[in-house]
């Protein structure tokens, strides 16, 4: 995660962006790899929510709640590093500044398909990381975000408008599932087990299955996949496929029992 240009060198980075776009497209304008003008860096995902699409967001659990406001999402499938945090904050503040500038000069030409600032809506930054070290948490003085699930923290409140989601701490329930899949990392296997256990009709399958199968196919075509990539292929071939079949068969048995 964290703004790397598209590349099969970092396939799990693409997993986050593709699932995020697939999930959020129905809720408002969603741009992957959005360039932040001042320094030509890229944000993983920019989402500008459509206020009329609350029902679509509600189906996404935690991800939908995060996307209720104009936001940048940066996703890391590993323990967040200091340099990555600084880069995220730099992009966030640059984007905030860009919007402020445009709001003050509304007649200037804008790129097509860009959110229109109008009266300034201040953006929010979500950093989703597999983990955050104890020393970084102490340094940042992270505070649990009130009313949000365990593992969701606020950094400097309204001053910075930054939230940090520590995936290793999120409750293992359906509401956090899409965020856990996007972060990939060490808990991806667990998240895919949870996905496989959902009914076939679950919205999460519509969002994630094709993206996961495409990634599996791409990795399977690589001459020398990494250890992490080989593990993912194994998870898809065993846990994911078997659990879906087991859940489906269990459903049939239950239906037969009820008949």
């Amino acid at each position: 995660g964290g703004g790397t240009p598209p590349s099969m060198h970092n396939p799990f980075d693409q997993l986050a962006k593709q699932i995020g776009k697939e999930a959020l497209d129905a809720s408002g304008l969603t741009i992957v790899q959005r360039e932040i003008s001042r320094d030509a860096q890229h944000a993983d995902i920019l989402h500008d929510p459509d206020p009329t699409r609350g029902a679509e967001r509600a189906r996404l659990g935690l991800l939908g709640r995060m996307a209720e406001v104009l936001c940048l999402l940066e996703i890391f499938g590993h323990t967040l590093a200091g340099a990555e945090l600084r880069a995220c904050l730099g992009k966030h503040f640059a984007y905030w500044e860009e919007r402020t500038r445009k709001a003050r000069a509304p007649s200037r030409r804008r790129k097509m398909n860009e959110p229109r600032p109008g009266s300034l809506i201040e953006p929010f930054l979500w950093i989703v990381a597999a983990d955050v070290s104890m020393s970084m948490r102490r340094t940042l003085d992270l505070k649990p975000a009130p009313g949000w699930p365990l593992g969701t923290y606020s950094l400097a409140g309204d001053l910075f408008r930054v939230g940090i989601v520590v995936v290793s701490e999120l409750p293992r329930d359906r509401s956090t599932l899409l965020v856990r899949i996007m972060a990939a990392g060490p808990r991806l296997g667990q998240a895919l087990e949870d996905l496989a256990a959902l009914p076939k009709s679950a919205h999460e399958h519509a969002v994630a299955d094709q993206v996961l199968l495409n990634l599996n196919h791409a990795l399977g075509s690589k001459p020398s996949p990494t250890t992490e990539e080989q593990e993912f292929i194994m998870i898809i071939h065993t846990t994911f496929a078997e659990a879906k079949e087991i859940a489906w068969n269990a459903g049939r048995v239950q239906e037969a029992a009820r008949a």
Side-chain angles (χ1 to χ4, degrees):
T4 311
S7 160
M8 272 313 296
H9 293 305
N10 199 347
F12 295 100
D13 190 51
Q14 293 306 301
L15 173 65
K17 291 168 191 166
Q18 287 165 10
I19 287 189
K21 184 160 176 60
E22 190 70 36
L24 293 170
D25 252 352
S27 300
L29 178 65
T30 307
I31 301 171
V32 170
Q33 289 292 120
R34 199 278 190 180
E35 188 171 311
I36 306 297
S37 60
R38 186 173 69 177
D39 50 10
Q41 289 193 75
H42 294 82
D44 283 350
I45 296 171
L46 165 67
H47 181 70
D48 186 19
D50 181 335
T52 67
R53 299 292 178 84
E56 285 81 354
R57 278 187 291 281
R59 297 189 298 181
L60 306 176
L62 176 59
L63 179 62
R65 279 189 71 188
M66 292 163 65
E68 283 175 357
V69 295
L70 175 71
C71 60
L72 302 178
L73 289 103
E74 296 282 351
I75 301 104
F76 299 92
H78 51 261
T79 300
L80 185 66
E84 291 167 334
L85 173 68
R86 289 190 293 273
C88 287
L89 293 174
K91 285 184 265 190
H92 173 50
F93 296 142
Y95 178 59
W96 197 337
E97 197 177 286
E98 174 192 312
R99 285 186 60 80
T100 306
R101 243 188 355 261
K102 284 182 177 177
R104 287 177 184 152
S107 60
R108 286 172 58 180
R109 292 183 66 189
R110 299 190 187 96
K111 291 180 185 175
M112 292 291 287
N113 293 330
E114 282 288 307
R116 294 184 64 83
S119 59
L120 181 65
I121 297 169
E122 297 179 325
F124 199 92
L125 167 66
W126 285 107
I127 299 172
V128 178
D131 212 343
V132 175
S133 69
M134 288 312 297
S135 61
M136 184 181 283
R137 291 174 201 223
R138 282 194 295 270
T139 304
L140 296 173
D141 191 25
L142 289 183
K143 298 280 192 288
W148 288 79
L150 193 70
T152 313
Y153 295 90
S154 171
L155 175 61
D158 283 343
L159 179 64
F160 281 7
R161 293 182 61 77
V162 173
I164 298 181
V165 178
V166 182
V167 173
S168 63
E169 292 181 16
L170 286 177
R172 188 178 172 180
D173 61 32
R174 183 173 175 178
S175 70
T176 65
L177 180 55
L178 288 173
V179 173
R180 289 185 287 128
I181 294 173
M182 286 170 71
R187 283 174 169 73
L188 180 59
Q190 197 181 69
L192 294 184
E193 282 177 28
D194 295 349
L195 174 65
L198 291 179
K200 281 190 167 182
S201 59
H203 182 62
E204 291 86 346
H205 284 304
V207 168
D209 284 9
Q210 195 57 53
V211 176
L212 291 166
L213 291 171
N214 290 348
L215 174 58
N216 181 57
H217 178 71
L219 295 180
S221 308
K222 285 183 72 174
S224 50
T226 66
T227 307
E228 187 187 18
E229 291 164 356
Q230 287 170 337
E231 283 171 5
F232 175 82
I233 293 167
M234 284 301 296
I235 290 164
I236 291 292
H237 279 284
T238 57
T239 315
F240 189 48
E242 282 174 18
K244 279 184 84 167
E245 194 173 340
I246 289 163
W248 186 70
N249 286 336
R252 286 184 64 196
V253 169
Q254 285 171 353
E255 280 171 24
R258 283 197 298 267

